[in-house]
Structure formats: C-alpha cells, structure tokens
Amino acid sequence: MKKKKEKGKNPLSTLLLLICLAVAGFSAYKLYTFYRGYHDADEEYEALTDYVNIEEEEETEDGKKQKKCPITVDFPSLQAINPDVVAWIYIPKTQVNYPVAQGEDNEYYLNYSFEKKRNFCGAIYLDAKCQPDFSSDNSIVFGHNMKNGSMFGELKTLYDKAYNEGADWRKHPVVWVVTPQWNMEYKIYAAREIETGLDEDVYMIDFAQREGYARWIEEQKQASQYKTKASTESLEPSLTLSTCTSTSENGRFVVHAIRVGKTARQ
C-alpha cells in the first residue's frame, strides 16, 4: 500500500508571506512616525505659545481699532530654550504664531524643530544671510507647507486664489514681527507661486541702490495674483514668507509684505 505524500510548505509562498509582513510592518512604522512627528511638533509649538501674550484689538471711542502690537514676547525665556531665536511672527486670526530662528545655514531648521529636536516639521526660520533684526531690504522667512495647516501650511489657503477660490488677503492683510528690540507691522502687497531656479530674484536680500529695490518691489507687484491696497512708495523693508507647494518639487508660494510700522519694545 502506497503512502500518501505529505504536503510540505511551499518555500515561495512562505517567502512571499514574509515579504508581505515586512512591508506591512514597515508601512505601519512609517505611518506611526509620520503622525508622531506631527503630534510632537504640535505639542512643542503649543507649549512655546506660553511665552507669548496675545491681546484682543481694542476700539477707541469713535469705533476705530487701536494701532498697537497685539503680542508681547518673553524673549529671555525663549533664548534660554534656543539662542538662535531672532523674532516671533504672528498673523492675527490664523495658525501663524511661531518663534523665528536663524541658523548658520538654511538647511538645519528644515529638519529640526525650534527646540532642536529632529522633526520633519522643522521650524520657522529667517534666511541665514538676512540681518537678524529684519533690517535687510528683504527679510526672507521660510516654513514648511504642512498638511495639517501648521507652520506655513495655511499660507496657500489664506492668500493663494489659484489654490483656494475663497482666499482673500483683505481678511488677513497684516503680519506682525516682534524682535527683542522692535515691534514691526507689515502689510501684504503681493503673493504668487514661483519656481526656484527660474524666479531666484524673489530671494534677493539687499540692493546697492534704492532704485534697484524700487524696481524689485514693482516686479513682485506686477507678477502678483492680485493687487492690494498696501502702499510701497516708502521703500521700507520688505518681508517675504516662503513655503513649498505640492504642484512641483521646485514650486514655492511666496507672500510679500512691506513694513508700515516700527516701534521700540517697552
């Protein structure tokens, strides 16, 4: 009587199963680190807002809003956490409410948070070549375009009409930058999407002559998606906010604003 052959495990099937398990495990790990990165960054930056006091705008007797800086910043405490801090940036009634660092280059804070912890959310940071007191003709501030709207992830929703039909600069026309010495108010005068390598002039920092700076401002206004009511005739310093886009690897969305007020901190 012949014995029945026992069915053995197919080595190929076993190998495929192990590969599938490895891929599933790796995907789960990547998903975990992705959400953990967002969670850790949210917790860190939320805790940092404890060093900032935001006051509601007050109205005068004639119903006009008072022109004063709405935030006060505890810089000594922030400097104890990170000596690279140079400012705090705030756009009223948005998520943009962050400390601004300045590193030795423009690479470090792409992958490290304000507290210098490894995190893909990075930090909001000033171009390494700009003056830390924002006295450059064009101070450039970078931030990641995060999917949850954090960092500079809200800029396109707020100011990019090609991305969001409801975008309206008039709802958020002012950007505040506070340094250890100054409270500075900026008003938006241009916004558009650019391509790095093709539009490098956007990232000009200083100009040898006022005429060159004036031409640069006019070029940004002409290329803008829309016109605003902000006057640029004063040739006061500009502020450029820059974030990446999802349309292309070299795509960037930039918002330009001009300084309209500067007062010494008390």
Side-chain angles (χ1 to χ4, degrees):
M1 186 174 181
K2 294 182 179 180
K3 293 183 178 181
K4 292 182 179 180
K5 291 183 179 180
E6 293 184 5
K7 292 183 178 180
K9 293 184 179 180
N10 188 324
L12 181 59
S13 298
T14 302
L15 178 61
L16 289 174
L17 177 60
L18 291 174
I19 291 174
C20 290
L21 290 173
V23 170
F26 179 74
S27 298
Y29 171 74
K30 294 294 288 185
L31 189 63
Y32 167 77
T33 55
F34 177 78
Y35 284 104
R36 183 59 186 264
Y38 272 105
H39 176 268
D40 290 349
D42 286 345
E43 278 200 340
E44 176 180 324
Y45 288 110
E46 178 63 30
L48 289 171
T49 60
D50 289 344
Y51 302 107
V52 178
N53 182 45
I54 301 175
E55 298 179 5
E56 294 293 333
E57 290 183 309
E58 299 178 1
E59 292 189 354
T60 59
E61 293 182 358
D62 58 3
K64 293 183 179 180
K65 291 182 179 179
Q66 291 182 341
K67 299 287 285 184
K68 69 173 185 178
C69 183
I71 62 173
T72 54
V73 183
D74 179 1
F75 278 104
S77 293
L78 290 174
Q79 289 165 343
I81 296 171
N82 184 354
D84 289 344
V85 64
V86 293
W88 191 281
I89 188 168
Y90 174 66
I91 302 179
K93 299 179 181 178
T94 74
Q95 294 187 60
V96 181
N97 183 33
Y98 294 102
V100 180
Q102 186 179 37
E104 296 180 356
D105 55 48
N106 289 336
E107 301 297 323
Y108 181 81
Y109 284 110
L110 285 172
N111 301 300
Y112 287 85
S113 70
F114 179 79
E115 294 183 5
K116 297 191 174 185
K117 297 175 182 177
R118 182 82 180 182
N119 193 303
F120 59 81
C121 293
I124 303 299
Y125 64 95
L126 178 67
D127 191 293
K129 296 179 182 178
C130 291
Q131 293 299 318
D133 62 356
F134 285 72
S135 61
S136 299
D137 289 330
N138 180 33
S139 295
I140 307 163
V141 178
F142 300 97
H144 282 309
N145 179 17
M146 304 309 296
K147 292 182 178 180
N148 66 349
S150 62
M151 311 312 286
F152 278 174
E154 201 176 10
L155 289 185
K156 287 177 65 65
T157 300
L158 297 172
Y159 302 113
D160 187 353
K161 294 189 72 67
Y163 173 80
N164 172 28
E165 292 184 358
D168 188 350
W169 65 270
R170 290 169 295 187
K171 295 179 181 178
H172 307 282
V174 172
V175 181
W176 287 94
V177 173
V178 176
T179 70
Q181 293 79 32
W182 305 101
N183 297 323
M184 292 175 284
E185 180 185 10
Y186 295 80
K187 287 194 175 180
I188 291 166
Y189 66 82
R192 62 170 168 141
E193 189 166 324
I194 66 168
E195 287 281 331
T196 57
L198 297 177
D199 301 295
E200 287 301 317
D201 62 302
V202 168
Y203 297 111
M204 291 284 291
I205 294 175
D206 284 304
F207 299 81
Q209 298 178 334
R210 293 294 82 193
E211 292 81 1
Y213 179 47
R215 283 195 301 271
W216 181 86
I217 288 179
E218 191 59 31
E219 288 170 359
Q220 309 320 309
K221 292 170 70 174
Q222 291 299 319
S224 176
Q225 291 183 2
Y226 42 77
K227 295 183 178 180
T228 76
K229 295 181 179 179
S231 173
T232 57
E233 294 179 358
S234 65
L235 296 184
E236 283 288 296
S238 285
L239 173 70
T240 294
L241 310 181
S242 177
T243 192
C244 53
T245 69
S246 58
T247 54
S248 71
E249 183 178 347
N250 296 323
R252 300 291 185 272
F253 184 70
V254 294
V255 177
H256 301 290
I258 192 164
R259 194 173 70 193
V260 297
K262 177 182 179 182
T263 57
R265 292 186 68 227
Q266 299 294 324

